[in-house]
Amino acid sequence: MRHVVSYAYHEVLNPATGQVVERVRATTAAEVDEAVALAAQAQRAWSAASPADRARLLRRFAAVVDGHLEELAQLEVREAGHTIGNARWEAGNVRDLLDFAAGGVERLSGRQIPVAGGLDITILEPLGVIGVIAPWNFPMPIAAWATAPALAAGNAVLLKPAETTPLTALRLAGLALEAGLPEHLFQVLPGAGGEAGNALVEHPGVAKIVFTGSTRVGKQIMEKSAALVKRVTLELGGKSPNIVFADSDLEAAVAATPMSFLDNSGQDCCARTRILVQSSVYDRFLDLLAPAIESIVVGDPADENTQMGPLISQAQLDRVRAYVPDEPKGIRGSAPDGPGFWFPPTVLTDLAPDAPAACEEVFGPVAVVLPFDDEADAIRLANATEYGLSGSIWTRDIGRAIRVSRAVAAGNLSVNSHSSVRYSTPFGGYKQSGLGRELGPDALTAFTETKNVFISTEA
Ligand code: NAD
């Protein structure tokens, strides 16, 4: 009798229209098993290849991505609703990450440590097969943050994209083969978190999990990984402050505020969604902010003039709506109605600091404004959260900028700017925003194990 297997499929919807873009078959746990075995085989050959050859192949991968930037960007607009400008930047970021990681392959050196009676060296060895579990909010860059350095350090990568956004990841796997990367070294396994994702977490052949997503799922993954003492890097949620002091260039602070929480429709772990403003300039700040929010162009993400697109899904729209009262106090922008998952830019005022919208991650175009009295009060409010991912400090006083940067418990701060992420600088969270760091000069080291070898000179 023939054994009939029925597979699950995920529908990828265009968030701007609600229309189906593609149906993608979900990877089963048994297929994850097969993928791990093939990846382990490919990894052995890859780590044995000369560093110069590995670097050359990664540069070629970067060049092939560069040749497909527009295609990848258009795909991101269709599956994730990102504005075309952002999507182009994201595709370029994948190319840059591959180039940056390729530059590290031949510089990944151990150390020679002075000891008595011999020679002591450390060797940085690849971990083996790395499982990367990515979210839907920045499908391309976040997949590449882990994939590029992991491959560069001599590992194989199994990438599980989010259910809603597998298409750019699948295309990147095709481009890797086109560039000449060995078969099975970088595989994309679309599927459900609870099945394909969980199979990676529980598989003894997967040496490390790099998870980016919600704090809730991150905790479950950490707990399950403990059973195997599996390495984890966790990039989780955020509720980041934007601290505006009265001594700042207020016009500049206001001008930068809208996109600090509206970029990617607020579906950004670094979104500055708690706007803390010194009481003496609070009213003036809101007066200046209102026209800036009201004039944000929300609409078709494929249009070059659009500043903000839709939310990813109906579920996300429902979640965001639940945080906003029917008649909110504050500032409201506009959004299209009709099909698609639209929510207007929203700034809430007159909320208690412990109101859900003021302390939980909304992951939508919603910020709260809270007044503070002095520097100590600003620091207290900024740190009054379980998260610690990023934050901004607006002041002209250099001493204050340094004091507050030291006092705010977050991994990525910016002064007089909202910048958070560069591939050349480290990124990651304090407290419940995560564990470990990605990107930056040490990105490759996070995918290695340090072996210490002592060679006696006395024998
Ligand atoms: P999510 O936790 O629901 O899902 C993330 C990924 O984990 C998806 O691929 C999903 O399929 C998978 N997953 C779900 N359950 C799983 C399980 N039991 N085992 C293994 N894998 C599982 O998060 P999301 O809603 O896709 O993403 C939004 C969240 O991501 C937000 O909280 C946001 O702050 C966070 N995020 C963090 C960063 C960062 O760098 N710190 C960056 C982007 C997004």
Side-chain angles (χ1 to χ4, degrees), residues 133-138 142 145 160-163 191-194 197-198 201 211-217 220-221 235-238 268-269 361 363 389 427 433:
I133 301 178
W136 46 259
N137 62 330
F138 290 108
I142 289 178
W145 287 7
K160 200 216 69 75
E163 291 85 332
N198 187 56
V201 174
F211 170 79
T212 306
S214 59
T215 298
R216 183 183 62 82
V217 175
Q220 292 169 8
I221 287 178
E235 299 286 3
L236 310 174
D268 180 343
C269 51
E361 184 179 49
F363 230 52
L389 192 54
F427 180 82
S433 282

mmCIF file of all heavy atoms in Angstrom, residues 133-138 142 145 160-163 191-194 197-198 201 211-217 220-221 235-238 268-269 361 363 389 427 433, ligand 1:
data_model
loop_
_atom_site.group_PDB
_atom_site.id
_atom_site.type_symbol
_atom_site.label_atom_id
_atom_site.label_comp_id
_atom_site.label_asym_id
_atom_site.label_seq_id
_atom_site.Cartn_x
_atom_site.Cartn_y
_atom_site.Cartn_z
ATOM 1 N N ILE A 133 16.468 31.220 13.187
ATOM 2 C CA ILE A 133 14.999 31.352 13.167
ATOM 3 C C ILE A 133 14.683 32.841 13.092
ATOM 4 O O ILE A 133 15.037 33.611 13.990
ATOM 5 C CB ILE A 133 14.370 30.697 14.416
ATOM 6 C CG1 ILE A 133 14.761 29.205 14.464
ATOM 7 C CG2 ILE A 133 12.854 30.863 14.401
ATOM 8 C CD1 ILE A 133 14.238 28.460 15.686
ATOM 9 N N ALA A 134 14.066 33.245 11.991
ATOM 10 C CA ALA A 134 13.906 34.680 11.710
ATOM 11 C C ALA A 134 12.446 35.120 11.841
ATOM 12 O O ALA A 134 11.522 34.322 11.644
ATOM 13 C CB ALA A 134 14.411 34.971 10.293
ATOM 14 N N PRO A 135 12.233 36.393 12.157
ATOM 15 C CA PRO A 135 10.869 36.933 12.246
ATOM 16 C C PRO A 135 10.443 37.538 10.909
ATOM 17 O O PRO A 135 11.227 37.567 9.957
ATOM 18 C CB PRO A 135 11.018 38.027 13.295
ATOM 19 C CG PRO A 135 12.398 38.573 13.037
ATOM 20 C CD PRO A 135 13.227 37.438 12.496
ATOM 21 N N TRP A 136 9.218 38.066 10.870
ATOM 22 C CA TRP A 136 8.685 38.600 9.616
ATOM 23 C C TRP A 136 8.966 40.087 9.434
ATOM 24 O O TRP A 136 8.698 40.645 8.387
ATOM 25 C CB TRP A 136 7.169 38.369 9.525
ATOM 26 C CG TRP A 136 6.426 38.716 10.788
ATOM 27 C CD1 TRP A 136 5.979 37.842 11.734
ATOM 28 C CD2 TRP A 136 6.054 40.024 11.262
ATOM 29 N NE1 TRP A 136 5.372 38.511 12.772
ATOM 30 C CE2 TRP A 136 5.403 39.852 12.498
ATOM 31 C CE3 TRP A 136 6.218 41.324 10.769
ATOM 32 C CZ2 TRP A 136 4.909 40.921 13.247
ATOM 33 C CZ3 TRP A 136 5.722 42.394 11.517
ATOM 34 C CH2 TRP A 136 5.081 42.187 12.741
ATOM 35 N N ASN A 137 9.463 40.756 10.487
ATOM 36 C CA ASN A 137 9.491 42.224 10.363
ATOM 37 C C ASN A 137 10.622 42.748 9.469
ATOM 38 O O ASN A 137 10.419 43.733 8.761
ATOM 39 C CB ASN A 137 9.485 42.898 11.738
ATOM 40 C CG ASN A 137 10.684 42.571 12.570
ATOM 41 O OD1 ASN A 137 11.248 41.497 12.435
ATOM 42 N ND2 ASN A 137 11.072 43.486 13.424
ATOM 43 N N PHE A 138 11.799 42.089 9.516
ATOM 44 C CA PHE A 138 12.865 42.431 8.559
ATOM 45 C C PHE A 138 13.411 41.113 8.000
ATOM 46 O O PHE A 138 14.522 40.692 8.367
ATOM 47 C CB PHE A 138 13.985 43.248 9.226
ATOM 48 C CG PHE A 138 13.574 44.639 9.584
ATOM 49 C CD1 PHE A 138 13.372 44.999 10.905
ATOM 50 C CD2 PHE A 138 13.385 45.606 8.600
ATOM 51 C CE1 PHE A 138 12.975 46.294 11.253
ATOM 52 C CE2 PHE A 138 12.998 46.898 8.933
ATOM 53 C CZ PHE A 138 12.789 47.238 10.257
ATOM 54 N N ILE A 142 17.625 40.421 8.806
ATOM 55 C CA ILE A 142 17.810 39.620 10.024
ATOM 56 C C ILE A 142 18.297 38.216 9.674
ATOM 57 O O ILE A 142 19.141 37.655 10.379
ATOM 58 C CB ILE A 142 16.528 39.626 10.876
ATOM 59 C CG1 ILE A 142 16.365 41.030 11.486
ATOM 60 C CG2 ILE A 142 16.595 38.567 11.975
ATOM 61 C CD1 ILE A 142 15.139 41.239 12.307
ATOM 62 N N TRP A 145 22.025 38.719 8.985
ATOM 63 C CA TRP A 145 22.865 39.069 10.146
ATOM 64 C C TRP A 145 23.550 37.837 10.703
ATOM 65 O O TRP A 145 24.696 37.891 11.131
ATOM 66 C CB TRP A 145 22.028 39.643 11.283
ATOM 67 C CG TRP A 145 21.499 41.015 11.089
ATOM 68 C CD1 TRP A 145 21.562 41.782 9.962
ATOM 69 C CD2 TRP A 145 20.796 41.781 12.064
ATOM 70 N NE1 TRP A 145 20.932 42.978 10.193
ATOM 71 C CE2 TRP A 145 20.458 42.994 11.464
ATOM 72 C CE3 TRP A 145 20.414 41.521 13.388
ATOM 73 C CZ2 TRP A 145 19.757 43.981 12.153
ATOM 74 C CZ3 TRP A 145 19.712 42.507 14.063
ATOM 75 C CH2 TRP A 145 19.398 43.730 13.448
ATOM 76 N N LYS A 160 15.170 29.131 9.107
ATOM 77 C CA LYS A 160 13.712 29.015 9.073
ATOM 78 C C LYS A 160 13.110 30.417 9.092
ATOM 79 O O LYS A 160 13.126 31.113 10.108
ATOM 80 C CB LYS A 160 13.176 28.209 10.258
ATOM 81 C CG LYS A 160 11.781 27.699 9.920
ATOM 82 C CD LYS A 160 10.798 27.662 11.038
ATOM 83 C CE LYS A 160 10.295 28.914 11.618
ATOM 84 N NZ LYS A 160 9.298 29.655 10.811
ATOM 85 N N PRO A 161 12.578 30.849 7.956
ATOM 86 C CA PRO A 161 11.960 32.180 7.942
ATOM 87 C C PRO A 161 10.588 32.139 8.614
ATOM 88 O O PRO A 161 10.059 31.062 8.887
ATOM 89 C CB PRO A 161 11.810 32.464 6.437
ATOM 90 C CG PRO A 161 11.776 31.117 5.779
ATOM 91 C CD PRO A 161 12.500 30.152 6.672
ATOM 92 N N ALA A 162 10.015 33.309 8.879
ATOM 93 C CA ALA A 162 8.671 33.360 9.472
ATOM 94 C C ALA A 162 7.649 32.816 8.464
ATOM 95 O O ALA A 162 7.851 32.900 7.251
ATOM 96 C CB ALA A 162 8.342 34.793 9.864
ATOM 97 N N GLU A 163 6.555 32.301 8.988
ATOM 98 C CA GLU A 163 5.506 31.719 8.153
ATOM 99 C C GLU A 163 5.013 32.707 7.103
ATOM 100 O O GLU A 163 4.714 32.331 5.966
ATOM 101 C CB GLU A 163 4.296 31.304 9.021
ATOM 102 C CG GLU A 163 4.537 30.128 9.952
ATOM 103 C CD GLU A 163 5.168 30.520 11.292
ATOM 104 O OE1 GLU A 163 5.902 31.536 11.350
ATOM 105 O OE2 GLU A 163 4.952 29.794 12.275
ATOM 106 N N GLY A 191 8.350 27.084 7.163
ATOM 107 C CA GLY A 191 7.438 26.219 7.911
ATOM 108 C C GLY A 191 7.021 26.838 9.215
ATOM 109 O O GLY A 191 7.392 27.970 9.527
ATOM 110 N N ALA A 192 6.257 26.065 9.976
ATOM 111 C CA ALA A 192 5.690 26.569 11.224
ATOM 112 C C ALA A 192 6.755 26.609 12.316
ATOM 113 O O ALA A 192 7.619 25.731 12.384
ATOM 114 C CB ALA A 192 4.546 25.665 11.651
ATOM 115 N N GLY A 193 6.646 27.627 13.179
ATOM 116 C CA GLY A 193 7.579 27.727 14.294
ATOM 117 C C GLY A 193 7.540 26.475 15.159
ATOM 118 O O GLY A 193 8.577 25.922 15.515
ATOM 119 N N GLY A 194 6.313 26.017 15.462
ATOM 120 C CA GLY A 194 6.151 24.869 16.349
ATOM 121 C C GLY A 194 6.629 23.561 15.741
ATOM 122 O O GLY A 194 6.840 22.584 16.470
ATOM 123 N N GLY A 197 10.681 25.019 13.165
ATOM 124 C CA GLY A 197 11.522 25.800 14.088
ATOM 125 C C GLY A 197 11.886 24.970 15.298
ATOM 126 O O GLY A 197 13.052 24.865 15.693
ATOM 127 N N ASN A 198 10.868 24.328 15.876
ATOM 128 C CA ASN A 198 11.097 23.512 17.066
ATOM 129 C C ASN A 198 12.027 22.337 16.763
ATOM 130 O O ASN A 198 12.858 21.961 17.596
ATOM 131 C CB ASN A 198 9.744 23.018 17.590
ATOM 132 C CG ASN A 198 9.892 22.325 18.909
ATOM 133 O OD1 ASN A 198 10.410 22.896 19.860
ATOM 134 N ND2 ASN A 198 9.503 21.063 18.967
ATOM 135 N N VAL A 201 15.487 23.485 17.056
ATOM 136 C CA VAL A 201 15.866 23.729 18.455
ATOM 137 C C VAL A 201 16.172 22.408 19.163
ATOM 138 O O VAL A 201 17.131 22.307 19.929
ATOM 139 C CB VAL A 201 14.731 24.486 19.186
ATOM 140 C CG1 VAL A 201 15.026 24.628 20.677
ATOM 141 C CG2 VAL A 201 14.515 25.863 18.556
ATOM 142 N N PHE A 211 18.017 33.101 17.344
ATOM 143 C CA PHE A 211 16.580 33.356 17.260
ATOM 144 C C PHE A 211 16.314 34.855 17.338
ATOM 145 O O PHE A 211 16.805 35.533 18.245
ATOM 146 C CB PHE A 211 15.847 32.651 18.409
ATOM 147 C CG PHE A 211 14.403 33.070 18.529
ATOM 148 C CD1 PHE A 211 13.431 32.548 17.682
ATOM 149 C CD2 PHE A 211 14.009 34.015 19.478
ATOM 150 C CE1 PHE A 211 12.104 32.949 17.774
ATOM 151 C CE2 PHE A 211 12.684 34.418 19.583
ATOM 152 C CZ PHE A 211 11.732 33.885 18.731
ATOM 153 N N THR A 212 15.553 35.356 16.430
ATOM 154 C CA THR A 212 15.062 36.732 16.499
ATOM 155 C C THR A 212 13.551 36.675 16.469
ATOM 156 O O THR A 212 12.966 36.107 15.545
ATOM 157 C CB THR A 212 15.585 37.573 15.327
ATOM 158 O OG1 THR A 212 16.995 37.481 15.301
ATOM 159 C CG2 THR A 212 15.189 39.036 15.484
ATOM 160 N N GLY A 213 12.926 37.242 17.472
ATOM 161 C CA GLY A 213 11.467 37.209 17.530
ATOM 162 C C GLY A 213 10.989 37.689 18.875
ATOM 163 O O GLY A 213 11.663 38.472 19.551
ATOM 164 N N SER A 214 9.833 37.173 19.285
ATOM 165 C CA SER A 214 9.218 37.678 20.515
ATOM 166 C C SER A 214 9.954 37.145 21.751
ATOM 167 O O SER A 214 10.547 36.064 21.723
ATOM 168 C CB SER A 214 7.759 37.237 20.553
ATOM 169 O OG SER A 214 7.690 35.832 20.515
ATOM 170 N N THR A 215 9.877 37.900 22.825
ATOM 171 C CA THR A 215 10.498 37.483 24.081
ATOM 172 C C THR A 215 9.852 36.183 24.572
ATOM 173 O O THR A 215 10.532 35.295 25.093
ATOM 174 C CB THR A 215 10.374 38.610 25.115
ATOM 175 O OG1 THR A 215 11.098 39.745 24.604
ATOM 176 C CG2 THR A 215 10.958 38.236 26.459
ATOM 177 N N ARG A 216 8.540 36.049 24.349
ATOM 178 C CA ARG A 216 7.828 34.833 24.793
ATOM 179 C C ARG A 216 8.435 33.578 24.162
ATOM 180 O O ARG A 216 8.807 32.629 24.851
ATOM 181 C CB ARG A 216 6.333 34.962 24.415
ATOM 182 C CG ARG A 216 5.464 33.813 24.878
ATOM 183 C CD ARG A 216 4.024 34.003 24.394
ATOM 184 N NE ARG A 216 3.913 34.018 22.937
ATOM 185 C CZ ARG A 216 3.874 32.931 22.172
ATOM 186 N NH1 ARG A 216 3.943 31.743 22.715
ATOM 187 N NH2 ARG A 216 3.775 33.027 20.852
ATOM 188 N N VAL A 217 8.556 33.574 22.831
ATOM 189 C CA VAL A 217 9.105 32.382 22.156
ATOM 190 C C VAL A 217 10.597 32.245 22.461
ATOM 191 O O VAL A 217 11.100 31.135 22.638
ATOM 192 C CB VAL A 217 8.832 32.442 20.631
ATOM 193 C CG1 VAL A 217 9.509 31.275 19.920
ATOM 194 C CG2 VAL A 217 7.333 32.432 20.351
ATOM 195 N N GLN A 220 11.079 30.251 25.530
ATOM 196 C CA GLN A 220 10.831 28.807 25.326
ATOM 197 C C GLN A 220 12.040 28.159 24.662
ATOM 198 O O GLN A 220 12.450 27.056 25.012
ATOM 199 C CB GLN A 220 9.617 28.601 24.414
ATOM 200 C CG GLN A 220 8.295 29.003 25.028
ATOM 201 C CD GLN A 220 7.176 29.024 23.975
ATOM 202 O OE1 GLN A 220 7.357 28.601 22.839
ATOM 203 N NE2 GLN A 220 6.013 29.515 24.372
ATOM 204 N N ILE A 221 12.620 28.889 23.690
ATOM 205 C CA ILE A 221 13.756 28.322 22.956
ATOM 206 C C ILE A 221 14.966 28.170 23.878
ATOM 207 O O ILE A 221 15.673 27.168 23.850
ATOM 208 C CB ILE A 221 14.055 29.194 21.709
ATOM 209 C CG1 ILE A 221 12.952 28.931 20.672
ATOM 210 C CG2 ILE A 221 15.445 28.922 21.141
ATOM 211 C CD1 ILE A 221 13.063 29.724 19.413
ATOM 212 N N GLU A 235 17.620 37.639 19.984
ATOM 213 C CA GLU A 235 17.316 39.049 19.702
ATOM 214 C C GLU A 235 15.809 39.193 19.863
ATOM 215 O O GLU A 235 15.049 38.706 19.032
ATOM 216 C CB GLU A 235 17.726 39.429 18.271
ATOM 217 C CG GLU A 235 19.206 39.281 17.961
ATOM 218 C CD GLU A 235 20.075 40.361 18.589
ATOM 219 O OE1 GLU A 235 19.557 41.213 19.331
ATOM 220 O OE2 GLU A 235 21.296 40.323 18.334
ATOM 221 N N LEU A 236 15.376 39.847 20.951
ATOM 222 C CA LEU A 236 13.953 39.796 21.311
ATOM 223 C C LEU A 236 13.282 41.169 21.212
ATOM 224 O O LEU A 236 13.675 41.983 20.398
ATOM 225 C CB LEU A 236 13.833 39.165 22.699
ATOM 226 C CG LEU A 236 14.606 37.832 22.854
ATOM 227 C CD1 LEU A 236 14.570 37.323 24.281
ATOM 228 C CD2 LEU A 236 14.099 36.781 21.891
ATOM 229 N N GLY A 237 12.315 41.400 22.047
ATOM 230 C CA GLY A 237 11.497 42.604 21.897
ATOM 231 C C GLY A 237 12.141 43.874 22.441
ATOM 232 O O GLY A 237 13.241 43.847 22.976
ATOM 233 N N GLY A 238 11.431 44.981 22.298
ATOM 234 C CA GLY A 238 11.928 46.257 22.796
ATOM 235 C C GLY A 238 10.797 47.230 23.081
ATOM 236 O O GLY A 238 9.646 47.035 22.642
ATOM 237 N N ASP A 268 9.289 47.277 14.362
ATOM 238 C CA ASP A 268 10.735 47.379 14.453
ATOM 239 C C ASP A 268 11.096 47.236 15.931
ATOM 240 O O ASP A 268 10.590 47.993 16.769
ATOM 241 C CB ASP A 268 11.160 48.764 13.918
ATOM 242 C CG ASP A 268 12.657 48.977 13.974
ATOM 243 O OD1 ASP A 268 13.345 48.243 14.695
ATOM 244 O OD2 ASP A 268 13.132 49.918 13.302
ATOM 245 N N CYS A 269 11.947 46.261 16.231
ATOM 246 C CA CYS A 269 12.284 46.014 17.635
ATOM 247 C C CYS A 269 12.966 47.225 18.265
ATOM 248 O O CYS A 269 12.955 47.371 19.479
ATOM 249 C CB CYS A 269 13.159 44.778 17.746
ATOM 250 S SG CYS A 269 14.562 44.832 16.641
ATOM 251 N N GLU A 361 5.280 46.005 24.233
ATOM 252 C CA GLU A 361 5.693 46.215 22.843
ATOM 253 C C GLU A 361 4.449 46.095 21.945
ATOM 254 O O GLU A 361 3.867 45.018 21.818
ATOM 255 C CB GLU A 361 6.733 45.167 22.444
ATOM 256 C CG GLU A 361 7.272 45.400 21.049
ATOM 257 C CD GLU A 361 8.324 44.374 20.659
ATOM 258 O OE1 GLU A 361 8.076 43.171 20.837
ATOM 259 O OE2 GLU A 361 9.377 44.797 20.157
ATOM 260 N N PHE A 363 4.326 46.951 18.589
ATOM 261 C CA PHE A 363 4.772 46.518 17.257
ATOM 262 C C PHE A 363 3.835 47.022 16.159
ATOM 263 O O PHE A 363 3.376 46.287 15.281
ATOM 264 C CB PHE A 363 4.890 44.997 17.216
ATOM 265 C CG PHE A 363 6.214 44.535 16.661
ATOM 266 C CD1 PHE A 363 7.412 45.020 17.165
ATOM 267 C CD2 PHE A 363 6.270 43.620 15.622
ATOM 268 C CE1 PHE A 363 8.633 44.608 16.653
ATOM 269 C CE2 PHE A 363 7.490 43.195 15.103
ATOM 270 C CZ PHE A 363 8.664 43.696 15.626
ATOM 271 N N LEU A 389 16.686 47.341 24.574
ATOM 272 C CA LEU A 389 17.301 47.130 23.260
ATOM 273 C C LEU A 389 17.994 48.383 22.731
ATOM 274 O O LEU A 389 19.165 48.374 22.416
ATOM 275 C CB LEU A 389 16.253 46.630 22.254
ATOM 276 C CG LEU A 389 16.844 46.103 20.951
ATOM 277 C CD1 LEU A 389 17.885 45.043 21.201
ATOM 278 C CD2 LEU A 389 15.768 45.555 20.030
ATOM 279 N N PHE A 427 25.316 44.688 17.893
ATOM 280 C CA PHE A 427 23.893 44.911 18.118
ATOM 281 C C PHE A 427 23.339 43.805 19.009
ATOM 282 O O PHE A 427 23.609 42.628 18.801
ATOM 283 C CB PHE A 427 23.146 44.897 16.776
ATOM 284 C CG PHE A 427 21.664 45.113 16.931
ATOM 285 C CD1 PHE A 427 21.151 46.390 17.060
ATOM 286 C CD2 PHE A 427 20.796 44.039 16.987
ATOM 287 C CE1 PHE A 427 19.796 46.597 17.239
ATOM 288 C CE2 PHE A 427 19.425 44.234 17.164
ATOM 289 C CZ PHE A 427 18.933 45.520 17.286
ATOM 290 N N SER A 433 15.522 41.943 26.396
ATOM 291 C CA SER A 433 15.612 42.186 24.947
ATOM 292 C C SER A 433 16.568 41.216 24.270
ATOM 293 O O SER A 433 16.689 41.240 23.042
ATOM 294 C CB SER A 433 16.050 43.627 24.664
ATOM 295 O OG SER A 433 14.961 44.503 24.839
HETATM 296 P P1 NAD B 1 7.667 35.185 16.942
HETATM 297 O O1 NAD B 1 8.432 34.950 18.183
HETATM 298 O O2 NAD B 1 6.244 34.835 16.925
HETATM 299 O O3 NAD B 1 8.307 34.354 15.726
HETATM 300 C C1 NAD B 1 9.642 34.503 15.340
HETATM 301 C C2 NAD B 1 10.098 33.237 14.630
HETATM 302 O O4 NAD B 1 10.077 32.145 15.550
HETATM 303 C C3 NAD B 1 9.202 32.816 13.464
HETATM 304 O O5 NAD B 1 10.014 32.280 12.439
HETATM 305 C C4 NAD B 1 8.353 31.712 14.069
HETATM 306 O O6 NAD B 1 7.880 30.778 13.122
HETATM 307 C C5 NAD B 1 9.343 31.063 15.008
HETATM 308 N N1 NAD B 1 8.738 30.322 16.123
HETATM 309 C C6 NAD B 1 7.537 30.549 16.719
HETATM 310 N N2 NAD B 1 7.323 29.620 17.687
HETATM 311 C C7 NAD B 1 8.413 28.823 17.712
HETATM 312 C C8 NAD B 1 8.789 27.687 18.498
HETATM 313 N N3 NAD B 1 8.016 27.209 19.465
HETATM 314 N N4 NAD B 1 9.972 27.094 18.244
HETATM 315 C C9 NAD B 1 10.785 27.577 17.294
HETATM 316 N N5 NAD B 1 10.485 28.628 16.504
HETATM 317 C C10 NAD B 1 9.315 29.252 16.724
HETATM 318 O O7 NAD B 1 7.934 36.687 16.595
HETATM 319 P P2 NAD B 1 7.361 37.531 15.369
HETATM 320 O O8 NAD B 1 5.987 37.931 15.737
HETATM 321 O O9 NAD B 1 7.610 36.830 14.094
HETATM 322 O O10 NAD B 1 8.359 38.781 15.373
HETATM 323 C C11 NAD B 1 8.133 39.922 16.111
HETATM 324 C C12 NAD B 1 9.012 39.963 17.333
HETATM 325 O O11 NAD B 1 10.396 39.923 16.956
HETATM 326 C C13 NAD B 1 8.879 41.245 18.116
HETATM 327 O O12 NAD B 1 8.738 40.958 19.486
HETATM 328 C C14 NAD B 1 10.186 41.984 17.870
HETATM 329 O O13 NAD B 1 10.566 42.891 18.837
HETATM 330 C C15 NAD B 1 11.135 40.875 17.711
HETATM 331 N N6 NAD B 1 12.330 41.320 16.962
HETATM 332 C C16 NAD B 1 13.512 41.469 17.636
HETATM 333 C C17 NAD B 1 14.633 41.924 16.980
HETATM 334 C C18 NAD B 1 15.948 42.104 17.688
HETATM 335 O O14 NAD B 1 16.963 42.168 17.016
HETATM 336 N N7 NAD B 1 16.002 42.167 19.004
HETATM 337 C C19 NAD B 1 14.575 42.204 15.621
HETATM 338 C C20 NAD B 1 13.356 42.044 14.969
HETATM 339 C C21 NAD B 1 12.244 41.576 15.657
#
